Amino acid sequence: MASHVSSQDYDCFWFNFNDGSPDTVTSLALPLTLFDSIIPQQTIKVVATNGERLDFERSKLINCQPGYLESQVAITFRDDDLHIISNPYAFEGVEVERDGSKVIITSTSEEEITYCLRGTSTDGAVKIYSDSPFTLVLDNLTLTSTESAAINIQSKKKATVSLIGSSSLTDSSVYDTPEDEDEKGTFFSEGKLVFTGDGSLTIKGNKKHALASDKTVEITSGEITINGVVADANGVQTNDGMTMSGGVLRLLIDTDQSKGIKTKATMTMTGGEIYGTLSGNAVVVDNDPSYCTLIKAQDFEMSGGYIQATHSGKAGKGISVDGDATWTGGTVDITTTGSGDVYQDANGDYDSYSATCITVDGNLTMTAGTFTLKSTGSAGKCIKVDTDATFGDNTTGPTITASTTGGQLQVSNSSWGGGGGNWPGWGPGGGGSDTDYANPKVIKGVGNLTVNNGDFTLSASQDGGEGLESKSTLTINGGEIRIKTYDDAINAASAIVINGGKIYAYATGNDAIDSNGTMTINGGLIIAVGTTSPEGGIDCDNNTFKITGGTMVAIGGANSSVTSSVTTQRVVAYSTSVTKGTPLTITDSNQQPILSFTSPQSFNGSAAMLITSPSFQASASYSIYSGGTLSGADEWECISLGGAYTPGSLKKTFTISQMVTTVR
C-alpha cells in the first residue's frame, strides 16, 4: 500500500473506521515518517516505527487513504451521539475514545497538543488526561452532561482554552465520579486554566461550581458568562489564585451563600471587565453568617480593569478579602440594596450582619482607582476595613464617591435580658434604656485610617450614618474630602490628626468632626458644620485640642475648647446667629478679606464658631461682616480666601489678644 504513495505528495495515511454506524467516524493518521507495516488479517494491525500500534476489526474499517497531517485533534459532537473524531496524533501518544456519549482523551505525548471541540450534544462530556500542557479550542460547542461535569480535565498541566464563536457548558445535577478522581464543577481542571480568544462561553452549574481549578484561572480575553450555580457553590472557584488581564466575565448569582469568584489565594486584576448581578442571601451557619459575595479572595490586587455589580440579597457583599487588599488603579462600581439582620453567635450574644460593597479583614491600600459605591440597606457599609486603611500617597490618590441611605439596625435591648440573654419571645424592636444599634457607615476602619491623597465625596442620609470613621487614629495628610451625613461626618476613637488637604464635613444631626480622644490640626483647609446644641462643628470630649496651622471654620451648637497651652496658631471663638446662604467675611484692619464663609444651614440664636487662619496676628484688629460682595477669591465649597471685598453689614470688630480670643 505504501509503495504507491509518494512522500512528496502526502505525509500520512488516514484510517477511517466506525463503531457500527457509517455516521460514527473516527479518523486516525499515521505519519509516513513513522510507517512500519500494516498486517491485513481479520484484526488489522497497524504498526509504527516508534512502537505505537493500533488493532481494530476489519469490519469497522471504512477506508484507508493517503492524505495530509492536521495540526489538531478535532472532535465534533452530534446530538445523536454519532460524534466525529479526527486524531492526527494517534501514533504519537494521543488516544481518543468514546465511553457512551462521553469522549475521553488520553495523551502521553511530550508535545503541546491542540484539541478542538465543536458541535452540540445534550448528553455529552469530555474528560482529558495529559502528561503535557495543551490547548483546548471551544469552537461553537454546546455540551450538556447527564452524569458528570461537561469538561473534566484530570491533568495538572496548564490548559490554554481558546474561545471561538459562542459556546456553552452545562453539567449534570448528579455526578458519577470515580473514587480516585475529583470533578468540582461544570468546567473543572486539576491544573491551571488560561482563557484566550475572542469568542464567548456560557457556563451553568447544576451540581457544583461553574468553573473550577485546583490551581489558577487566568482570563486574558474572550467573554465568559456564569449563568447561575446551586446554593453554596461558586461561579469561579480556584485554589491557587485568579488573574484577569483582559476579556469579560459576567456573573449571575441568585443562590444563598454562593460566590461569584472565590479563590483561596490572591485575586489579581490588571485589565478586563467583571459584571455581577447577585441576589443570594447571607445564611447563618453554625452561629456565623455565610455571605453571597461577588469576589471572595485571600488577598486582592487591582491595577486596572473594571468591576461593576449590583447585589440585592440580604447582607450581600461586593468584594470581600480575608487578608490584604491593594488598589493602584482600575474602576469599581458596586451597589448593594439588601438589608442587614441579627443573629446569635456561639456565646449566645446578639450580633448583626449587613451588606458591604468592599470589606477587608487585613490592611487596605488605595493609591489610585475610581470607586462608585452605594449601600441602601439597613446598617449598610461602603468600605469596611478590620485593620489599617491607607488612601493615596504623595502623588496620587483614589477618587471615591460613596453613599449609604439605609437606616440603623437594632441589635439588642436591655429589656431582652442583657448582652448574652435571650429575647423574651419577640424579635428586635421597641425602646429601652440600653439599646444597641448597628449603624450605616460610608468608610469604616477598625484600625488606623490615613488619607494621604485622593478625592472623596461621601454621604450618609439616615440616623447613625457616618462618613469617615476610625476605631483608632484617623490622620489626614492631603486630598479633597467632601462629606455630608446625618451622624458624625468624621469620627475617631483615639485621635484625629489633620496635617493637610481640603475637608468639608457637614453633619445634619450630630458633630461634624468628632474625636473621642485628642484633636490636632497642623494644616489644611477645614470646614466643619455640625448641628445645633449640644452638637457642633468639632468635638473632642474635653481632651487636648491642639492647633498649629491650617485654615478652619467650625460651626454648630457647640465646639470643644481649644487647648491654649499647646496651640501655636491664633484662634477666634465667635458666637453669633447665622443665616443660610449669607456669607460672613473677616477682614483685616485694611478691610482686606482673610476668609469668607457661607453656611449651608441657618443657626437661630447663637451659633458657636471656631475660626483659625495663618493670617491672624497677635494684637491686630479685624472686622466681621455679613453679606457684601467678594470677587477674585480662591473658592472651595462654602469658603473663600483672599480676593477683593465690598463690605456688607458690620457685625463685630475685635482685636486678637490671646492665643484663643473669644468674641461675643
Side-chain angles (χ1 to χ4, degrees):
M1 196 178 300
S3 62
H4 299 292
V5 179
S6 170
S7 61
Q8 295 179 350
D9 297 327
Y10 303 105
D11 55 14
C12 72
F13 285 120
W14 280 101
F15 296 88
N16 303 304
F17 63 93
N18 64 75
D19 292 322
S21 168
D23 293 326
T24 305
V25 179
T26 297
S27 301
L28 307 178
L30 172 59
L32 291 179
T33 56
L34 294 178
F35 176 76
D36 184 284
S37 62
I38 300 175
I39 304 173
Q41 298 176 351
Q42 185 65 29
T43 299
I44 298 178
K45 304 180 186 297
V46 182
V47 183
T49 57
N50 62 2
E52 291 287 335
R53 172 174 162 169
L54 174 66
D55 297 345
F56 55 90
E57 297 179 19
R58 178 189 292 270
S59 62
K60 293 183 177 182
L61 180 64
I62 298 173
N63 58 44
C64 173
Q65 57 188 21
Y68 301 98
L69 283 171
E70 298 174 357
S71 61
Q72 61 187 14
V73 176
I75 302 169
T76 301
F77 287 87
R78 292 171 48 167
D79 232 351
D80 52 12
D81 293 337
L82 303 181
H83 309 324
I84 300 173
I85 299 171
S86 176
N87 181 6
Y89 300 97
F91 293 87
E92 298 178 70
V94 178
E95 179 183 5
V96 182
E97 60 178 332
R98 296 182 183 86
D99 180 10
S101 60
K102 181 185 297 183
V103 173
I104 300 175
I105 300 171
T106 304
S107 174
T108 58
S109 174
E110 295 182 356
E111 293 187 39
E112 185 166 328
I113 307 295
T114 296
Y115 306 100
C116 183
L117 309 181
R118 303 184 180 96
T120 299
S121 176
T122 56
D123 183 19
V126 176
K127 182 182 286 190
I128 300 175
Y129 302 89
S130 179
D131 292 345
S132 302
F134 61 92
T135 296
L136 184 64
V137 178
L138 306 186
D139 181 359
N140 292 287
L141 172 72
T142 300
L143 275 187
T144 299
S145 176
T146 59
E147 60 180 28
S148 66
I151 296 179
N152 182 0
I153 300 174
Q154 290 294 306
S155 171
K156 297 184 183 298
K157 302 299 183 179
K158 182 181 77 171
T160 301
V161 183
S162 178
L163 303 178
I164 298 175
S166 178
S167 298
S168 67
L169 303 173
T170 305
D171 67 344
S172 172
S173 59
V174 177
Y175 284 11
D176 183 14
T177 307
E179 291 184 0
D180 59 343
E181 293 185 357
D182 193 14
E183 50 185 334
K184 297 178 180 177
T186 306
F187 191 151
F188 171 66
S189 177
E190 295 277 0
K192 180 179 181 179
L193 291 172
V194 179
F195 286 88
T196 65
D198 57 4
S200 65
L201 173 63
T202 299
I203 309 175
K204 170 70 174 177
N206 289 316
K207 169 63 176 176
K208 298 184 181 180
H209 311 303
L211 174 62
S213 168
D214 278 350
K215 295 296 184 179
T216 64
V217 171
E218 181 177 342
I219 300 174
T220 64
S221 61
E223 182 171 334
I224 300 173
T225 298
I226 306 299
N227 192 18
V229 293
V230 294
D232 203 24
N234 306 317
V236 181
Q237 165 81 27
T238 80
N239 285 347
D240 291 348
M242 178 169 173
T243 300
M244 190 163 185
S245 58
V248 177
L249 177 60
R250 301 183 188 277
L251 300 157
L252 307 176
I253 307 296
D254 60 1
T255 48
D256 296 347
Q257 307 179 64
S258 297
K259 314 296 187 285
I261 299 170
K262 183 177 181 181
T263 177
K264 298 178 181 179
T266 301
M267 166 82 183
T268 302
M269 190 167 183
T270 61
E273 302 169 26
I274 296 176
Y275 297 91
T277 302
L278 299 92
S279 57
N281 297 316
V283 177
V284 178
V285 179
D286 296 329
N287 303 106
D288 194 30
S290 176
Y291 301 94
C292 177
T293 307
L294 173 67
I295 298 173
K296 177 71 170 177
Q298 175 60 39
D299 294 301
F300 183 89
E301 298 174 357
M302 185 174 183
S303 59
Y306 178 68
I307 297 174
Q308 187 276 328
T310 58
H311 200 322
S312 60
K314 180 189 294 184
K317 304 292 184 185
I319 300 172
S320 179
V321 184
D322 292 334
D324 297 337
T326 302
W327 267 274
T328 57
T331 300
V332 178
D333 184 346
I334 298 176
T335 298
T336 64
T337 62
S339 62
D341 208 343
V342 176
Y343 72 101
Q344 280 185 285
D345 63 20
N347 297 320
D349 295 324
Y350 289 103
D351 204 345
S352 65
Y353 55 99
S354 58
T356 309
C357 298
I358 298 174
T359 181
V360 180
D361 292 346
N363 297 311
L364 170 66
T365 303
M366 285 183 175
T367 56
T370 301
F371 302 82
T372 303
L373 310 173
K374 184 176 182 180
S375 184
T376 67
S378 55
K381 296 167 181 62
C382 293
I383 298 177
K384 179 179 178 294
V385 185
D386 281 351
T387 313
D388 293 340
T390 302
F391 298 90
D393 56 22
N394 292 332
T395 57
T396 63
T399 298
I400 301 177
T401 302
S403 66
T404 66
T405 58
Q408 295 177 310
L409 174 65
Q410 187 171 345
V411 179
S412 64
N413 188 294
S414 60
S415 65
W416 300 344
N422 296 317
W423 291 340
W426 47 277
S433 59
D434 187 14
T435 303
D436 180 30
Y437 291 97
N439 294 311
K441 309 284 183 179
V442 184
I443 298 178
K444 177 181 178 179
V446 175
N448 295 324
L449 193 157
T450 302
V451 177
N452 295 311
N453 212 329
D455 193 327
F456 299 76
T457 303
L458 314 178
S459 65
S461 61
Q462 299 298 316
D463 191 4
E466 296 186 332
L468 198 60
E469 180 191 37
S470 168
K471 291 299 184 182
S472 186
T473 296
L474 193 155
T475 304
I476 299 174
N477 297 315
E480 294 193 14
I481 302 171
R482 301 167 177 86
I483 306 175
K484 183 177 181 181
T485 57
Y486 180 90
D487 215 315
D488 299 340
I490 297 175
N491 178 278
S494 299
I496 293 177
V497 180
I498 300 174
N499 298 314
K502 296 180 178 179
I503 302 166
Y504 174 53
Y506 178 21
T508 62
N510 211 327
D511 300 315
I513 302 177
D514 183 0
S515 173
N516 296 329
T518 60
M519 177 80 65
T520 302
I521 297 175
N522 298 317
L525 176 63
I526 302 137
I527 306 166
V529 181
T531 190
T532 55
S533 183
E535 317 303 341
I538 291 184
D539 179 15
C540 62
D541 294 340
N542 296 319
N543 295 303
T544 299
F545 184 2
K546 177 182 178 181
I547 298 177
T548 66
T551 298
M552 180 188 74
V553 174
I555 185 171
N559 286 301
S560 288
S561 298
V562 177
T563 308
S564 299
S565 60
V566 294
T567 293
T568 60
Q569 178 171 288
R570 305 286 170 169
V571 181
V572 172
Y574 177 45
S575 296
T576 185
S577 61
V578 174
T579 301
K580 175 182 177 180
T582 300
L584 291 177
T585 303
I586 299 179
T587 63
D588 61 16
S589 58
N590 297 317
Q591 287 197 336
Q592 294 301 306
I594 294 175
L595 64 83
S596 181
F597 168 73
T598 303
S599 178
Q601 73 174 63
S602 296
F603 291 88
N604 299 322
S606 182
M609 299 183 70
L610 283 177
I611 306 168
T612 187
S613 167
S615 299
F616 285 165
Q617 301 294 321
S619 302
S621 296
Y622 300 90
S623 298
I624 302 175
Y625 292 90
S626 174
T629 303
L630 185 67
S631 61
D634 182 8
E635 299 181 3
W636 190 76
E637 293 301 323
C638 55
I639 198 169
S640 301
L641 305 178
Y645 180 61
T646 300
S649 300
L650 179 65
K651 291 178 69 72
K652 200 73 177 180
T653 298
F654 64 93
T655 299
I656 292 181
S657 57
Q658 302 177 46
M659 191 59 67
V660 179
T661 299
T662 300
V663 178
R664 298 187 186 280

